[in-house]
Amino acid sequence: MGAPKKKTTRLKRGHRRSHHHVKSGAFVKCDNCGELKIPHSVCPACGYYKKEQVLEVSEL
Ligand SMILES: [Zn+2]
């Protein structure tokens, strides 16, 4: 097995890990109202999914 000759510096390690971040957590923005919602699910705020209203949401 090849072993690294030099310890990776904080800078190089940081540059490498700069791509490791996840874009979004467990939420995406709703296409219709922009609220955060769970991916691949009906938006709880407006009842839309795939640009169609599938749930009746009572307006307050
Ligand atoms: Zn929505």
Side-chain angles (χ1 to χ4, degrees):
M1 283 263 285
K5 237 172 201 171
K6 287 262 161 45
K7 177 178 176 177
T8 305
T9 64
R10 282 183 296 176
L11 183 72
K12 284 212 76 172
R13 197 211 309 131
H15 280 316
R16 182 174 65 238
R17 291 180 187 177
S18 68
H19 304 280
H20 287 190
H21 70 279
V22 179
K23 264 182 195 167
S24 60
F27 292 100
V28 293
K29 258 188 186 179
C30 172
D31 276 339
N32 185 57
C33 68
E35 282 287 321
L36 288 180
K37 68 175 193 71
I38 298 157
H40 313 291
S41 65
V42 177
C43 174
C46 64
Y48 270 67
Y49 182 62
K50 287 187 173 178
K51 287 162 187 167
E52 273 180 61
Q53 185 146 30
V54 288
L55 267 182
E56 289 297 324
V57 178
S58 55
E59 301 278 331
L60 293 175

